[in-house]
Amino acid sequence: MFFDQAILTEDGRVLILHFGADWDPTCKAMDELLHSISDTIKNFAVIYLVDNIQVPEFNRIYELYDPCTIMFFYRSKHIVVNRSNSSSRKSIWAVEDKQEMIDIVETVYRDTRKGR
């Protein structure tokens, strides 16, 4: 797995892992959105697209059962992003607005750098 090394070695940027399935239209839309913002966020975040089927052990550890899941890491630490009242350790949603996703990533970066 390439992204597991990125979790351990990416030191200055937020690591965004998008776990998805090629057959899922929501995942495809999220892939396209993430690709469209990658240049904008490249100084403070890096994106990895991961096929759920290829990582059964990671799925088990992080309880990834949904076809579309986004996780954030910073300096090897999992960052919980919660947009609802859920107590989930991962972020399971599809963001449809580019600026909203950029704002989320910027907030994660800014807050994690401040130790929040």
Side-chain angles (χ1 to χ4, degrees):
M1 290 181 278
F2 55 93
F3 68 89
D4 59 344
Q5 287 302 310
I7 291 171
L8 298 173
T9 60
E10 185 62 53
D11 194 36
R13 298 183 291 175
V14 171
L15 177 65
I16 303 167
L17 298 180
H18 179 228
F19 295 90
D22 288 342
W23 53 265
D24 186 81
T26 302
C27 286
K28 285 188 171 205
M30 195 65 204
D31 287 348
E32 291 171 10
L33 182 132
L34 290 169
H35 178 73
S36 73
I37 67 167
S38 61
D39 271 351
T40 305
I41 64 171
K42 69 182 176 189
N43 291 330
F44 55 91
V46 60
I47 302 166
Y48 285 84
L49 307 179
V50 183
D51 184 341
N52 283 358
I53 296 169
Q54 303 297 319
V55 292
E57 185 65 17
F58 200 86
N59 292 340
R60 185 186 62 72
I61 292 168
Y62 282 97
E63 301 172 353
L64 304 179
Y65 305 116
D66 300 288
C68 189
T69 302
I70 298 172
M71 295 180 75
F72 297 87
F73 290 84
Y74 186 73
R75 295 191 172 157
S76 303
K77 293 182 182 136
H78 178 229
I79 307 301
V80 176
V81 175
N82 196 348
R83 291 177 58 200
S84 67
N85 293 330
S86 169
S87 62
S88 177
R89 299 184 316 162
K90 53 199 176 293
S91 305
I92 311 166
W93 76 81
V95 177
E96 297 177 359
D97 181 77
K98 286 169 55 169
Q99 190 57 53
E100 179 183 7
M101 190 65 191
I102 292 168
D103 292 346
I104 290 168
V105 176
E106 286 178 337
T107 300
V108 169
Y109 177 71
R110 187 175 47 251
D111 287 355
T112 54
R113 288 191 68 213
K114 292 179 181 177
R116 295 182 195 165

